Amino acid sequence: MSGPDVTVIGGGLVGSAIAYGLAKRGLKTTILDEGDVALRASRGNFGLVTVQGKGDGRPEYARWSLHSAGLWQGLADELKQLTGVDVGFEQSGIAVICLSEAEDTAHRGLMARLTREAGAAGYDHEFLGRPELAGRLPGLGETVVSGCLTPHDGHANPLKLLRALHAGFLARGGAYRAEQKVAMIEPAKRSGFRISTAREVVNSDKVVIAAGLG
């Protein structure tokens, strides 16, 4: 039997997102995952979708971040329609807090640079003084001087997102192999790769490593 077109090593958020996209494009894709014993960032993060502050001096990265944030709602809607899982995505903005006049000045300079570098892509943001910010964030500390709010920022529920990506991947025809810690990856004799785990050997045309190595 022929192996997959692509094998993704690691079934966390990054690996699952890559595998979902590959399967959606019609590639025969397999995920090899350690499973629930791999309690890493995918199961213990804030689920932030942030743009603010990214790409200083790297305009392509700034534009990429903005473009990515703009695609999130479409992905959330697509996953809900396909799997029935609501990933809890909200794009209500995130405020970066400045605790001194020096921080306020530095952050204003950063945002001005990012706005210039983003060009036509835009980089909407607004600075709020402490009184206005306190009206939006009850319980704000007395040492806060100001805050910068960007409407591009938001968050999703990482556990529900992981569940939706796995379910969506399977719905797209992907193959998920749990408890398959990879021991070795080596070139196959003719082409592609030979991937060895404790349970099986997978022959794959291409390999994507999306797992933390330690």
Side-chain angles (χ1 to χ4, degrees), residues 134-208:
R136 301 194 187 190
L137 301 175
L140 196 67
E142 294 295 330
T143 58
V144 174
V145 172
S146 65
C148 181
L149 184 68
T150 54
H152 311 288
D153 294 336
H155 64 88
N157 183 312
L159 294 179
K160 290 186 176 181
L161 176 60
L162 184 61
R163 178 185 171 194
L165 286 170
H166 275 224
F169 172 66
L170 294 175
R172 298 287 188 191
Y176 176 78
R177 303 280 189 269
E179 299 181 11
Q180 294 279 22
K181 186 174 183 178
V182 172
M184 182 180 294
I185 305 172
E186 56 188 343
K189 290 183 178 180
R190 294 184 178 180
S191 64
F193 298 89
R194 188 171 185 269
I195 308 163
S196 301
T197 75
R199 296 188 171 194
E200 64 178 307
V201 174
V202 177
N203 293 304
S204 180
D205 186 27
K206 294 180 176 60
V207 177
V208 175

Side-chain angles (χ1 to χ4, degrees), residues 54 70 127:
K54 290 184 176 180
F127 276 87

Side-chain angles (χ1 to χ4, degrees), residues 123-134:
Y123 207 115
D124 299 330
H125 66 280
E126 60 175 329
F127 276 87
L128 306 176
R130 191 188 181 287
E132 187 176 2
L133 193 62

